[in-house]
Amino acid sequence: MNIIFNFLSSLLDSIFNFTGDWGLAIVFLTISVRLVLSPMSFKQKKSMHQQQKFGIKMQEIKEKYKDNKDRLDVEVKKQSAESAKSMLGCLVTLLQLPIIMTLWSVFNKLPVSASTFLIPWVSSIKVSDSYFIVPLIYVLISLTPSLLSYVTLLKIEGQSTLSKSNIIIMAVVGLFVAKAAPIAVGIYLITTSVFNFLEELIFRLYIRNSKIRN
């Protein structure tokens, strides 16, 4: 963890020396980290998609061979073996957690006087936003990936849409977290949310184009 912390801390300082603004430095650092993690994230999304297709396939098999137990057992074992392979991709999320946790530590070591023209109404991004502007922006952007499932052309087979109650819960929790966190972390959360939206949009377009080709 110390190696990761020292590397990210040095990278943040280098970006700041180039941009002259701590807010921009956090944005560029976050984008850099997410670009490195994108292949892992994309693999995870594909694995989750395979699991959703597996659930649908299992229901079809059980219905098709409900009167043939031997054939049903054979097909279930075959599908379970394929499912186990795709589940390995979900483990890549664990590799991202140490980096994300380290980023928060890096932001906490910023100088007290750190400011940014991105958030001009505060003198330091080490404090929380008393105007609730940063938390509200974060909540609105963080919900956009989930809302893509409501777009007909971008729906993924087997993937359920979030209910309104779940969306409200996510918004309230996100608002609470962002309000309690310093603005530096808020900038990171907003940048990550924008990246998540673009990543989810690209993945859904990839799945849609794959269906068209097949």
Side-chain angles (χ1 to χ4, degrees):
M1 290 290 286
N2 286 336
I3 296 176
I4 299 176
F5 176 85
N6 291 335
F7 172 75
L8 293 178
S9 181
S10 297
L11 182 58
L12 180 64
D13 290 337
S14 298
I15 297 175
F16 171 73
N17 291 332
F18 177 75
T19 62
D21 186 276
W22 284 111
L24 280 180
I26 292 173
V27 170
F28 288 136
L29 176 65
T30 305
I31 292 174
S32 300
V33 172
R34 288 307 305 266
L35 284 174
V36 172
L37 296 177
S38 278
M40 296 182 185
S41 180
F42 199 78
K43 186 175 181 180
Q44 177 193 352
K45 289 179 183 295
K46 289 182 68 175
S47 296
M48 293 177 64
H49 179 57
Q50 290 298 322
Q51 289 300 308
Q52 291 161 359
K53 290 174 64 177
F54 169 73
I56 296 173
K57 186 69 175 178
M58 287 296 290
Q59 289 298 323
E60 293 175 350
I61 289 174
K62 289 178 180 179
E63 181 64 27
K64 184 176 181 179
Y65 299 110
K66 61 182 179 181
D67 298 324
N68 188 339
K69 188 177 184 305
D70 292 337
R71 183 62 186 276
L72 176 61
D73 290 341
V74 171
E75 292 297 327
V76 168
K77 288 180 180 178
K78 185 189 299 183
Q79 291 299 319
S80 297
E82 291 298 318
S83 174
K85 293 178 183 178
S86 65
M87 274 294 290
L88 294 176
C90 296
L91 297 177
V92 299
T93 305
L94 299 177
L95 299 176
Q96 302 182 39
L97 294 179
I99 297 177
I100 293 173
M101 293 171 61
T102 303
L103 276 175
W104 283 49
S105 299
V106 170
F107 298 152
N108 284 332
K109 69 97 184 177
L110 290 173
V112 177
S113 60
S115 60
T116 175
F117 77 89
L118 297 177
I119 317 291
W121 57 89
V122 296
S123 58
S124 173
I125 57 177
K126 292 274 288 183
V127 299
S128 60
D129 185 3
S130 59
Y131 294 99
F132 279 89
I133 297 175
V134 171
L136 284 174
I137 292 175
Y138 162 64
V139 167
L140 291 175
I141 298 177
S142 66
L143 293 176
T144 53
S146 301
L147 298 179
L148 288 175
S149 58
Y150 287 94
V151 180
T152 303
L153 292 176
L154 299 175
K155 284 185 177 180
I156 295 179
E157 181 184 10
Q159 186 180 63
S160 59
T161 56
L162 282 177
S163 64
K164 292 181 180 179
S165 58
N166 285 336
I167 291 177
I168 292 174
I169 292 173
M170 287 176 58
V172 172
V173 172
L175 187 64
F176 176 80
V177 171
K179 178 61 183 72
I183 291 173
V185 174
I187 295 173
Y188 160 76
L189 292 174
I190 291 173
T191 306
T192 298
S193 296
V194 172
F195 200 97
N196 287 341
F197 170 76
L198 295 175
E199 197 173 61
E200 182 68 18
L201 178 61
I202 292 171
F203 177 73
R204 288 175 179 271
L205 291 174
Y206 164 78
I207 295 296
R208 181 172 179 271
N209 291 335
S210 297
K211 287 182 179 179
I212 293 175
R213 288 197 300 269
N214 295 333

